[in-house]
Amino acid sequence: MLKKSLSRGVVSFALCVTVNIIVLMIKTVNTVNTTGNVQAMPELVPEYAAFFENPFMALMVQTLFCGLIGFAFGCCSVIVDIARWSMVKQAVVHFLLTAFVWVPVSIFCWGLGRYLISFISVFLSMVFTYTVVWTCQIMICRREVARINEQLIQRDKATS
């Protein structure tokens, strides 16, 4: 289970870093098109940016923190594989474990609790992530139930 957890964490880290880079590229192009400044960088929360020598370093660290959030989600996704737990218990434990990473990163990088737009962005991101995770989980459960039902039908036909 540990190997599966770490494997999922590494894949999720890479995916989140990739998505973050794409979002930063889109924001940069948009900023350049809006301002005309070809050296423009995406805006950062001022309190976060103050920790770094330059905005580029701040964006790199932010990208790694996004990857860390993805790593936490990937690692914790094995929780939904614990069949003896109810989906509610899985959801609560998964939420608490991922929030342990997500909330501090969101406070540090995006000023969660300080800026309304940050709260909305993080909230929508969590809703989207949980919608994807639980939709996938329900699809997997349905396929598993259909497979078991098919096996039962085949067994009944064989014994008849």
Side-chain angles (χ1 to χ4, degrees), residues 27 41-55 58-59 62 106-112 114-118:
K27 286 174 69 176
M41 300 280 285
E43 288 187 33
L44 296 166
V45 172
E47 294 83 0
Y48 169 74
F51 282 98
F52 302 94
E53 296 177 12
N54 58 61
L59 288 171
Q62 179 178 296
S106 297
I107 290 169
F108 179 61
C109 289
W110 304 296
L112 181 65
R114 183 174 297 205
Y115 302 102
L116 178 62
I117 191 69
S118 176

Side-chain angles (χ1 to χ4, degrees), residues 9-155:
V10 168
V11 169
S12 293
F13 178 89
L15 182 63
C16 285
V17 165
T18 301
V19 168
N20 189 66
I21 289 170
I22 291 169
V23 168
L24 288 174
M25 288 169 50
I26 291 168
K27 286 174 69 176
T28 302
V29 167
N30 197 20
T31 302
V32 168
N33 287 340
T34 304
T35 65
N37 179 2
V38 294
Q39 295 181 345
M41 300 280 285
E43 288 187 33
L44 296 166
V45 172
E47 294 83 0
Y48 169 74
F51 282 98
F52 302 94
E53 296 177 12
N54 58 61
F56 182 73
M57 184 61 71
L59 288 171
M60 287 180 54
V61 171
Q62 179 178 296
T63 299
L64 292 176
F65 275 131
C66 287
L68 178 63
I69 290 171
F71 183 80
F73 266 88
C75 285
C76 293
S77 71
V78 296
I79 290 169
V80 299
D81 293 342
I82 303 173
R84 65 184 182 276
W85 285 12
S86 72
M87 287 186 77
V88 172
K89 183 177 181 180
Q90 291 172 348
V92 168
V93 171
H94 187 271
F95 176 81
L96 292 174
L97 290 174
T98 56
F100 183 72
V101 174
W102 195 322
V103 171
V105 169
S106 297
I107 290 169
F108 179 61
C109 289
W110 304 296
L112 181 65
R114 183 174 297 205
Y115 302 102
L116 178 62
I117 191 69
S118 176
F119 175 79
I120 291 169
S121 175
V122 170
F123 177 77
L124 290 177
S125 181
M126 287 185 77
V127 167
F128 175 76
T129 301
Y130 270 88
T131 300
V132 169
V133 168
W134 290 108
T135 300
C136 291
Q137 183 61 23
I138 288 169
M139 290 170 39
I140 290 167
C141 287
R142 285 183 179 163
R143 270 188 268 154
E144 186 67 18
V145 167
R147 185 185 63 77
I148 291 169
N149 285 339
E150 185 62 35
Q151 288 176 345
L152 291 173
I153 290 169
Q154 295 299 326
R155 189 179 74 182

